[in-house]
Amino acid sequence: MKLQRNSRNQLFYFTPAFILLLFIIFCLTPRTLTLSSPSQLATTHQGSGEEEPEANNVSEDPNYCAVRFRRSHYLYKAFPSGLISDACCDYETVDRINADIYPKLHELIKTDFFKYYKLNLFKECPFWIENGQCMNRACSVETMDKTDIPDIYKSDVLGALKTSPAGPLFQPFEKCEFTDRDFCVVEDENDGVFVNLQDNPERFTGYAGPSAGRVWKSIYEENCFNIVHQLDPSRKNKISHTSSISKNQLSNIMSSIDQNDDENDSDDVCFEKRVYYRLISGLHSSISIHICDEYLNQTTGEWRPNLDCFISRIGSHPERIQNVYFNYVVLLRAISKLSPYLRGYEFCAGGGRDEDTKVKNMVTELTNAAVSCHGTFDEKLMFASDESRLLKEEFKNHFRNVSRIMDCVGCDKCRLWGKLQISGVGTALKVLFSYDDQYLNPSSNPNLLTRTEIVALFNTFNRFSESIIAIKRFRKLYHERVKAQTKDHTDDITTTATTTSASTKTNNTSQQPTQLTAHHHIIEFVSSLKDIIIPYAKSLSTFIIRQLEHWHIPMPSGISVID
């Protein structure tokens, strides 16, 4: 019984060990033999997750989400929306009406009546001695020869000089530069030179430096009610053109045109002063847009849009784009209000009755489009109180000073368009604030506006209309740049990942002999382990079978002692 008990104890201890050894031999040997093929080793390496990353895998880069967010954010903000500050309509309305008006206006200003403009380009600056005359060829203005001027625009009137009834010894006096109703100095139609505006487009001239800076500094610091720091603090700093914009700057610009005015102190400024400042800022911004939109590439000699110029001067200051839209709304309202007067106005274009009728029909079509846009700007809200009525005279004086400052511009072409557009905005203000609706009757008041004022009004309106088109064009260029930079960023990630993957593959290929040698050592070890274990396994199985026979336990068929 003792031997039998010992045998059972041995069986109890050796059986689990035997099964465990068989399991180890079964698990290790076949898998090791499978890995022993060099081709299989290479295949397994390629499938181990270290292959070249595809484009979809670049999202693992920590900066990729930020790039995608910025891109989708600006695509979402592709067009301004919301109510225009201090106006009665929104950006969508302006974009929609401008899409209808722009083609009509663009063709109208090409007619003889609207393309010939007379002004005095050679007035001396009344405020300082201007020695910064621009000598660039682009600054010059091509004036019209007298033989090219239509006869209807020629005048034999003596002009501003009149002889006193007291006799020739008295010095002649000058004609008044403006009346009480005027918001700017009106160009004398009997003095100056004729200019074909189509031959002298507003564009980049290279005029810059202290002379140009002094003009705008005088306007903002001395003729803007001292509110610049409240409505646009950036005007306090010098605005310079930069040749390149960093990615961080790109991510912070043109994001929201309809921003909240809570960011500045505009609520602390009265409505009339805010309107004045928006008119000046919008005019300045519109001029800058035209300069950037027709910018001379001095390397190629091509005139083309300069996105960096636009971003630096306008795009990084959303309030300036707001003010461009605001000016458009004010001019649109003025033309709408003036439409009854224009329907009875005689447009003498100098090309015969048919040409006059054509111009009048074009103007009527344009004014009808303007009238169809209701509620753009409510001029009745201005100068309504006793206190604001006193402000009206100060408003006029500041604006008249700005029109005089334009004579201090050292670039002739810049002076031309500066004087014309100040006159255009001044004419709009005159229509809105100096005449009631019933007074705008050409039959009873045929001489409310001079031809020069009407030409300036419509050409200025065209300038702002083109500015809005240019803003959309620059926005498209901006998104194309962001898209290209995003693609470059993605390509950089892919290239880096590909280089890393190729380097890893090279290292793995150089290490394959070492890996194969190691696998062969493992196989040899397992084979030698088998040679050691199998004899013990045979002995153990023989012992188990014999014990089963000794205990008279039936054995399955086919099992016998291994000799």
Side-chain angles (χ1 to χ4, degrees):
M1 291 296 295
K2 185 176 182 180
L3 290 174
Q4 185 177 2
R5 189 180 295 112
N6 291 337
S7 298
R8 289 180 179 178
N9 290 337
Q10 290 176 357
L11 180 63
F12 178 82
Y13 289 119
F14 281 107
T15 300
F18 173 71
I19 296 173
L20 179 61
L21 287 173
L22 290 178
F23 179 78
I24 293 174
I25 294 171
F26 175 78
C27 292
L28 290 179
T29 304
R31 297 177 76 89
T32 306
L33 290 174
T34 304
L35 291 172
S36 62
S37 170
S39 62
Q40 289 175 324
L41 287 172
T43 304
T44 304
H45 167 69
Q46 291 177 356
S48 64
E50 296 178 353
E51 65 270 34
E52 292 185 16
E54 298 177 353
N56 293 333
N57 294 335
V58 297
S59 59
E60 297 177 0
D61 182 84
N63 296 322
Y64 181 70
C65 292
V67 173
R68 288 193 63 188
F69 171 77
R70 290 198 300 267
R71 181 182 176 189
S72 62
H73 176 67
Y74 290 119
L75 288 177
Y76 175 75
K77 289 290 186 180
F79 299 98
S81 61
L83 190 67
I84 301 172
S85 297
D86 293 326
C88 303
C89 67
D90 52 30
Y91 294 95
E92 292 88 347
T93 300
V94 172
D95 286 331
R96 185 171 60 253
I97 191 66
N98 189 56
D100 179 42
I101 286 180
Y102 175 72
K104 301 179 177 67
L105 187 57
H106 191 65
E107 291 301 317
L108 178 64
I109 62 166
K110 293 180 181 179
T111 62
D112 288 351
F113 184 89
F114 287 99
K115 73 180 181 181
Y116 297 140
Y117 185 67
K118 191 173 187 179
L119 77 164
N120 190 340
L121 275 174
F122 310 109
K123 279 186 179 180
E124 293 185 359
C125 175
F127 300 107
W128 61 80
I129 298 175
E130 176 55 45
N131 295 320
Q133 191 70 22
C134 177
M135 302 305 294
N136 294 340
R137 182 179 179 182
C139 289
S140 62
V141 171
E142 182 180 345
T143 59
M144 295 180 62
D145 189 86
K146 290 184 178 181
T147 58
D148 297 328
I149 301 173
D151 292 338
I152 197 169
Y153 300 141
K154 296 177 181 179
S155 176
D156 297 328
V157 179
L158 187 59
L161 298 181
K162 295 182 180 181
T163 303
S164 169
L169 296 178
F170 283 85
Q171 293 294 326
F173 54 87
E174 292 186 355
K175 181 182 177 181
C176 293
E177 292 183 311
F178 55 84
T179 66
D180 290 339
R181 297 182 182 273
D182 294 324
F183 279 74
C184 64
V185 176
V186 180
E187 292 292 335
D188 185 2
E189 291 188 319
N190 299 316
D191 188 22
V193 294
F194 268 101
V195 174
N196 186 335
L197 298 175
Q198 296 295 307
D199 293 338
N200 297 274
E202 184 181 20
R203 54 170 52 164
F204 172 77
T205 63
Y207 176 61
S211 176
R214 189 175 186 179
V215 169
W216 288 111
K217 182 179 180 181
S218 176
I219 291 174
Y220 284 115
E221 293 185 357
E222 301 173 13
N223 293 278
C224 275
F225 296 100
N226 296 320
I227 59 174
V228 176
H229 64 285
Q230 294 174 274
L231 299 181
D232 188 358
S234 62
R235 292 290 187 193
K236 295 169 63 177
N237 301 321
K238 182 179 179 180
I239 302 172
S240 60
H241 170 70
T242 54
S243 59
S244 62
I245 304 295
S246 67
K247 292 182 180 179
N248 289 335
Q249 287 174 303
L250 281 175
S251 66
N252 293 323
I253 61 178
M254 298 182 72
S255 58
S256 177
I257 303 303
D258 54 315
Q259 66 177 14
N260 196 327
D261 281 340
D262 291 341
E263 297 177 4
N264 53 45
D265 300 327
S266 60
D267 291 340
D268 297 333
V269 179
C270 71
F271 179 60
E272 289 80 4
K273 292 182 179 180
R274 290 202 308 270
V275 167
Y276 178 91
Y277 175 78
R278 293 190 190 282
L279 291 173
I280 296 297
S281 173
L283 175 60
H284 188 188
S285 300
S286 180
I287 292 172
S288 297
I289 289 172
H290 300 144
I291 291 173
C292 298
D293 193 39
E294 291 197 58
Y295 200 91
L296 177 63
N297 186 324
Q298 298 183 8
T299 302
T300 63
E302 296 178 339
W303 294 93
R304 58 188 306 170
N306 187 322
L307 179 58
D308 287 337
C309 172
F310 176 80
I311 290 172
S312 174
R313 298 186 181 205
I314 306 299
S316 54
H317 307 277
E319 68 281 353
R320 297 178 188 176
I321 297 180
Q322 281 193 31
N323 295 336
V324 171
Y325 275 81
F326 180 80
N327 272 259
Y328 183 94
V329 167
V330 172
L331 290 165
L332 182 65
R333 169 57 189 149
I335 291 176
S336 176
K337 183 178 179 179
L338 193 62
S339 59
Y341 179 82
L342 294 173
R343 281 196 292 268
Y345 186 84
E346 293 295 332
F347 291 92
C348 299
R353 184 175 297 276
D354 292 341
E355 180 68 17
D356 297 347
T357 303
K358 177 184 175 181
V359 172
K360 188 168 185 176
N361 291 337
M362 294 174 70
V363 172
T364 301
E365 185 180 6
L366 179 62
T367 55
N368 288 340
V371 171
S372 67
C373 185
H374 302 287
T376 55
F377 178 76
D378 189 0
E379 68 276 9
K380 294 180 181 179
L381 296 177
M382 292 185 62
F383 311 120
S385 65
D386 293 336
E387 182 180 353
S388 61
R389 290 191 189 99
L390 297 176
L391 184 63
K392 185 176 182 179
E393 290 304 314
E394 189 178 0
F395 191 106
K396 288 181 181 179
N397 290 333
H398 279 314
F399 212 88
R400 291 165 184 164
N401 270 349
V402 172
S403 64
R404 292 190 184 99
I405 291 174
M406 288 299 149
D407 287 319
C408 301
V409 176
C411 164
D412 287 346
K413 186 172 291 185
C414 305
R415 180 184 297 190
L416 162 65
W417 285 103
K419 287 168 71 73
L420 181 143
Q421 291 179 84
I422 282 291
S423 177
V425 175
T427 301
L429 296 176
K430 180 179 179 179
V431 171
L432 293 176
F433 302 118
S434 295
Y435 300 118
D436 295 330
D437 292 342
Q438 61 271 17
Y439 199 78
L440 295 172
N441 188 333
S443 300
S444 56
N445 299 296
N447 298 318
L448 291 181
L449 299 177
T450 66
R451 174 189 170 273
T452 302
E453 288 176 304
I454 294 175
V455 172
L457 174 63
F458 278 85
N459 273 277
T460 302
F461 188 42
N462 178 68
R463 292 280 78 197
F464 280 95
S465 178
E466 289 188 347
S467 291
I468 290 177
I469 298 295
I471 289 171
K472 298 173 70 173
R473 180 162 49 248
F474 278 116
R475 188 175 288 110
K476 181 180 178 181
L477 293 174
Y478 167 75
H479 288 308
E480 290 175 354
R481 174 179 289 189
V482 172
K483 183 178 180 180
Q485 289 189 342
T486 303
K487 183 178 182 299
D488 292 341
H489 183 73
T490 302
D491 291 343
D492 290 342
I493 296 173
T494 304
T495 303
T496 302
T498 303
T499 305
T500 304
S501 177
S503 176
T504 303
K505 287 184 177 181
T506 303
N507 294 335
N508 288 331
T509 303
S510 64
Q511 293 175 4
Q512 281 185 8
T514 304
Q515 292 176 346
L516 292 176
T517 303
H519 282 293
H520 283 301
H521 284 312
I522 294 174
I523 295 171
E524 291 176 358
F525 170 75
V526 172
S527 299
S528 60
L529 186 63
K530 285 169 55 182
D531 294 339
I532 297 173
I533 293 177
I534 288 176
Y536 286 99
K538 288 181 179 180
S539 299
L540 179 60
S541 61
T542 300
F543 172 78
I544 292 173
I545 292 172
R546 285 177 178 173
Q547 288 297 326
L548 292 174
E549 290 176 348
H550 177 71
W551 294 330
H552 303 288
I553 298 175
M555 296 290 297
S557 60
I559 296 180
S560 60
V561 177
I562 301 176
D563 295 328

